[in-house]
Amino acid sequence: MVRAAVLPAVGSPLETAEIDLPEPGPGQVRVRLAAAGVCHSDLSLANGTMRVPVPAVLGHEGAGTVVSVGDGVGHVGPGDDVILNWAPSCGVCHACSLGEVWLCESALTGARRVHAHRADGSELYPGLNVAAFAEETVVAAGCVLPAPHGVPLTDAALLGCAVLTGYGAVHHCARVRAGESVVVLGAGGVGLATLQAARAAGAGTIIAVDVSPAKEELALAAGATAFVVASDSTPRDVRGLTGGHGADVAVECVGRAATIRSAWESTRRGGRTTVVGIGGKDQHVTFNALELFHWSRTLSGCVYGNSDPARDLPVIAEHIRAGRLDPALLVTDRIGLDGIPLAFENMLAGKGGRALVVF
């Protein structure tokens, strides 16, 4: 039996409970968690914006140490430090055959398997595959990657989503070039990681935008050269900081129609907007045909930073060891499992950066 944060039903508050976690079967790995980040995607699962089977153990960004492995697992063993990968690629579907492993058609099939049982025998599912909001978890072998040397596990936990997504948004989606101007809308965990990645890419002017003035210090520490409090005048404010033209690149990390539109309007003619935030079906973004022609801007979605974790994590680790990236700067609260509901409330209120569950 291990302690876990359980979502009983969509829209219900999380409950901390003892769960019966089985030993790993063939092709599975049991991991003792060191830390797990509280991501906005977890909130999206809890409120139904994203749908997975429930009741479930949420949490998809984490790192820990292998306890035991099932038959057929050879790339990790007991005692190894690992990072959880919530979106493992199958390697054979159409997307994988194109090298777009972040769009793997089978990535979330594991979310439909029975993960564990509550004390009353009822079944639990693993949220986004890895059920990181627990003292221990059992995952498919493809959901664990060796943790990089020289990076503390509490920092490595953030590599599984926030850092990987922010890095990928800058390097794979927006393809920021040295000297370009970048505006990042939303200074939560992913936004702060995006600011760091933009600085590491050699961006010139880096503008952070958030509804909370209290985020300014965090944003500047992460690499922003200017901070703007979000308002209806955000695009105009950004143009004022970029010679009247608008930013070369905008990265939207909120997932709201108004913010996506603001990000698009904040870029120069021919600029590029990357949408990282996950919005609901009720969030509709509209454009007229003439402005699409006239502004010649590019708008693109971004899944998991369009990253291949096996390829990108060693690169990110080198940036961390060299001091160009610092996952610890994303964390504003270190909590226990019981603190996750408050972390959700703070997220909704726009407070703080990443909350990190430390075991």
Side-chain angles (χ1 to χ4, degrees), residues 264 287-297:
W264 190 79
F287 307 91
N288 68 57
L290 180 60
E291 65 178 332
L292 289 174
F293 162 78
H294 173 76
W295 289 104
S296 190
R297 292 163 172 153

Side-chain angles (χ1 to χ4, degrees), residues 196-208:
Q196 289 195 30
R199 179 175 59 186
T205 299
I206 304 174
I207 305 165

Side-chain angles (χ1 to χ4, degrees), residues 16-279:
T16 303
E18 295 280 335
I19 67 170
D20 185 7
L21 188 68
E23 291 302 312
Q28 292 185 325
V29 179
R30 185 172 183 131
V31 177
R32 179 180 300 110
L33 272 296
V38 182
C39 179
H40 200 281
S41 295
D42 298 310
L43 179 59
S44 295
L45 294 173
N47 65 24
T49 299
M50 297 169 62
R51 302 305 296 264
V52 294
V54 290
V57 178
L58 301 185
H60 64 280
E61 177 185 81
T65 302
V66 175
V67 176
S68 56
V69 300
D71 292 341
V73 178
H75 71 297
V76 295
D80 289 347
D81 291 339
V82 294
I83 294 173
L84 298 180
N85 172 23
W86 64 269
S89 56
C90 68
V92 297
C93 71
H94 182 63
C96 287
S97 72
L98 296 174
E100 299 173 350
V101 297
W102 54 91
L103 299 179
C104 176
E105 298 165 12
S106 302
L108 293 181
T109 55
R112 296 191 290 271
R113 67 176 175 85
V114 175
H115 172 69
H117 293 83
R118 299 194 71 163
D120 63 4
S122 57
E123 295 176 341
L124 290 169
Y125 296 92
L128 291 179
N129 279 327
V130 297
F133 289 166
E135 294 169 329
E136 295 187 11
T137 188
V138 173
V139 300
C143 290
V144 295
L145 294 167
H149 296 296
V151 180
L153 279 180
T154 48
D155 289 350
L158 300 172
L159 272 59
C161 185
V163 176
L164 194 61
T165 299
Y167 173 86
V170 167
H171 290 271
H172 302 320
C173 302
R175 297 181 181 178
V176 173
R177 298 182 288 269
E180 286 193 312
S181 54
V182 177
V183 57
V184 178
L185 289 87
V190 172
L192 293 171
T194 303
L195 290 168
Q196 289 195 30
R199 179 175 59 186
T205 299
I206 304 174
I207 305 165
V209 179
D210 199 274
V211 295
S212 172
K215 297 282 189 74
E216 182 173 6
E217 185 177 349
L218 277 173
L220 294 177
T225 59
F227 183 84
V228 171
V229 178
S231 70
D232 292 341
S233 66
T234 293
R236 183 168 65 249
D237 295 337
V238 172
R239 286 193 294 274
L241 292 165
T242 53
H245 304 292
D248 295 302
V249 169
V251 182
E252 197 274 355
C253 302
V254 180
R256 294 177 183 162
T259 316
I260 294 169
R261 178 74 201 198
S262 183
W264 190 79
E265 291 180 0
S266 294
T267 60
R268 63 170 174 82
R269 196 175 186 189
R272 314 186 297 282
T273 297
T274 294
V275 178
V276 174
I278 301 173

